[in-house]
Structures are given as structure tokens and as C-alpha cells.
Amino acid sequence: MSGWGEFISAFAVFLLSHAIPVRPAVKGWVVARIGARGFTIGYSVLSTAILVWLIGAAGRAPFVVVWDAPAWAAVFTLFVMFDVVMVLALTIGRPNPFSFGGARNETFDAAHPELVRFTRHPLLVGLAAWAAAHMVPNGDLAHVILFGTFAGFAVLGMAIINRRKRRQMGAAYAPLLAQTRAATWRPAPHARRAMIRRLIIGAVIYVVLIALHGPVIGVYPWP
């Protein structure tokens, strides 16, 4: 494909891949055949592959300048992405009844909510920050559309999930949220070692992402 064709096609496939597989009828059919774990693994691999294609297609789209990247853009993106990876490392799979991406939500400790004290949606905040950080050094039209859309979806997703969680949790939502916001962000004593372990894992993942960014995406992030 030439011109904008590949970018438009990749964007359409990306949107469809996030709309069709999660529909109850489709997901139920797939889970019945390969199991919930198989669905999660398959969906994750598919989503990642399409995302890599979409980002690559944005790089191959016609270059239309919207703004020139400032001299500090690369360093800024590296700094923000370190924070994003740390936030994800600390929150993925942790109890969080206010958003998605959590686990064992029934064990959520409102007295020690950790990062949930500052935001109910750490994963979506991370997505929005990732998109914004990548939009600064990529001021061409295709990348502005790409990362601007991701940032918009993340912000919109927060509002949608807030409304859904209020409805699902009913009268328990407001008191639990108030208690969470009034608590300390520091982890409970028994959870501190796990937090340190997650920070170390996050740092390793950050280094791996930096190393793979050039070979996989085609852009080397170091200034």
C-alpha cells in the first residue's frame, strides 16, 4: 500500500480487534474452545502485533509536519516513559476495585491503597502519558492522529469506567473512594518487599523496552 492506505487500514484493524473479540458472543465462543487463559494470551499477542503494525504504518505514512520536535523531546520522552513503566509495574495485577487491570479486588486495603490513592485508573493514566510523551517528538500528522487518539481514548475510558463502577458498587462506592483518598500512599509493612521487587522488575522492563525499541519499532530512542 502507498500513501495513507496502510495507516488507515492498520487503524481500522486495530479498532476492530478491540471491538469484536470482546463482544460476549464472540468471546464466549472462543473461551469455550481454548479456555479463558488461552483467550487472554491470544488476545494479548494479537493486540500487540497489530499495535506494532499500526505504529510502523504511522512511520510509513506521508510526512506532514504539524510541529517541529523541540530539542529536549527525546530526553522528555525517556523520562516520562520511565515513570510510566514504574506505574504499570506497581499497579498491574494489584487489587483495585475502581478500574480494570487489577486482581483479587476483594483484598483491596483502603488504608494502604498505594498509587490508587492518587488515581483510580493507573493503567489508563499510563496509557495517556505514553501517548502524550510520544506525541511531543513526533509532530507529523500521522503520529499526532495516532497518539492523540490513544490519549483521548484513555481519558474517555476513565469517565466511562467511573460511571460503570459507581453503578456496579452502588452505595459502597463513595465511602470506599473517600477512605482511599484520605489514606497514606505507603504500602502496608507486609507489602513493602513486594513493592521493591516490582520496582526492580519495572526497571529491567524499561531497559528491555529501550533495547527493543529500535529493532522492533525502527526508531532508536536515545538522543
Side-chain angles (χ1 to χ4, degrees):
M1 296 184 187
S2 60
W4 290 94
E6 182 187 8
F7 179 65
I8 294 172
S9 299
F11 221 127
V13 171
F14 179 83
L15 294 176
L16 289 173
S17 71
H18 284 73
I20 295 177
V22 295
R23 293 180 65 86
V26 176
K27 182 177 180 179
W29 186 87
V30 176
V31 169
R33 284 155 179 78
I34 64 175
R37 183 180 179 85
F39 174 85
T40 300
I41 294 174
Y43 184 61
S44 299
V45 171
L46 176 66
S47 298
T48 301
I50 295 175
L51 177 61
V52 171
W53 175 35
L54 176 57
I55 294 174
R60 293 185 289 269
F63 192 83
V64 180
V65 176
V66 179
W67 63 73
D68 293 320
W72 45 265
V75 175
F76 170 78
T77 302
L78 287 169
F79 176 77
V80 173
M81 284 309 301
F82 179 80
D83 294 333
V84 168
V85 173
M86 291 298 106
V87 167
L88 298 184
L90 289 172
T91 56
I92 289 178
R94 296 285 294 148
N96 180 5
F98 300 108
S99 192
F100 74 96
R104 307 180 309 280
N105 289 342
E106 68 281 359
T107 66
F108 177 72
D109 182 4
H112 297 279
E114 301 176 15
L115 293 187
V116 180
R117 179 189 184 279
F118 302 104
T119 173
R120 286 165 282 179
H121 309 288
L123 300 188
L124 289 176
V125 168
L127 174 60
W130 168 81
H134 281 76
M135 195 158 52
V136 172
N138 294 285
D140 62 285
L141 182 59
H143 284 98
V144 170
I145 293 173
L146 173 66
F147 293 120
T149 300
F150 284 154
F153 278 155
V155 174
L156 179 62
M158 295 180 205
I160 292 173
I161 294 174
N162 284 343
R163 189 163 56 247
R164 181 187 305 157
K165 289 294 184 178
R166 284 192 181 96
R167 184 175 63 251
Q168 291 175 346
M169 297 173 66
Y173 183 91
L176 184 62
L177 179 59
Q179 184 181 359
T180 298
R181 287 176 170 170
T184 177
W185 65 269
R186 294 180 177 84
H190 67 273
R192 290 172 185 169
R193 185 171 297 179
M195 173 177 277
I196 294 173
R197 193 161 51 240
R198 281 175 171 263
L199 288 172
I200 294 172
I201 293 172
V204 172
I205 291 174
Y206 178 75
V207 172
V208 171
L209 289 175
I210 294 296
L212 293 179
H213 199 281
V216 176
I217 304 299
V219 178
Y220 290 84
W222 290 113

